[in-house]
Amino acid sequence: MSDNDVVQIELERHESAVTVAHVTGDIDLASADVFRERLADTLTSGDAFVLDLDGVTFMGSLGFSALVEAHHETERRNIRWGIVAGSSPISRPLKITGLEQVLPIYPSVPDALAALAISTAE
């Protein structure tokens, strides 16, 4: 497996106290467990976060399953979050599967940050 095949997640803390997790690479059978673990690590902080998937080049069913699991966990723990999937190859599968109606999807990181900043200020 080359470095290009490995999913990468880089965390960036914003002044609004929201963490942005920038995800790049493929989320497939070989990397889905890493993606799931890093997503779970992000959830453990309990802070609001944005999952930026615009750098994802492919997402298989295990990746979508991890998003649904994260959604259930954020609801259970009352964690505010958003998914950025504006131009990535996963935006169409999110629409086709109906997940865009369930998951908190935003077209860009600034849009997600603005929505979460408003929500955390209330």
Side-chain angles (χ1 to χ4, degrees), residues 6-12 19-23 31-45 49 51 66 70:
V6 178
V7 65
Q8 300 288 322
I9 301 175
E10 181 181 322
L11 300 179
E12 175 187 5
T19 298
V20 178
H22 299 281
V23 184
S31 62
D33 286 341
V34 171
F35 176 65
R36 181 176 272 117
E37 289 169 15
R38 293 293 307 269
L39 190 50
D41 290 345
T42 303
L43 287 168
T44 59
S45 72
F49 71 98
L51 189 63

Side-chain angles (χ1 to χ4, degrees), residues 9-111:
I9 301 175
E10 181 181 322
L11 300 179
E12 175 187 5
R13 186 82 168 166
H14 280 260
E15 59 278 350
S16 62
V18 175
T19 298
V20 178
H22 299 281
V23 184
T24 56
D26 290 350
I27 302 172
D28 55 16
L29 185 60
S31 62
D33 286 341
V34 171
F35 176 65
R36 181 176 272 117
E37 289 169 15
R38 293 293 307 269
L39 190 50
D41 290 345
T42 303
L43 287 168
T44 59
S45 72
D47 296 333
F49 71 98
V50 173
L51 189 63
D52 177 10
L53 300 178
D54 273 349
V56 173
T57 51
F58 172 81
M59 182 179 282
S61 61
L62 292 175
F64 290 107
S65 175
L67 293 178
V68 172
E69 290 170 13
H71 181 63
H72 291 305
E73 186 65 13
T74 57
E75 284 186 330
R76 187 181 74 74
R77 297 181 60 196
N78 199 29
I79 298 171
R80 302 281 306 153
W81 77 309
I83 299 169
V84 174
S87 61
S88 71
I90 68 159
S91 59
R92 185 161 187 242
L94 286 170
K95 290 177 185 171
I96 291 170
T97 60
L99 287 175
E100 76 168 358
Q101 302 299 318
V102 178
L103 300 173
I105 308 290
Y106 297 93
S108 69
V109 170
D111 289 331

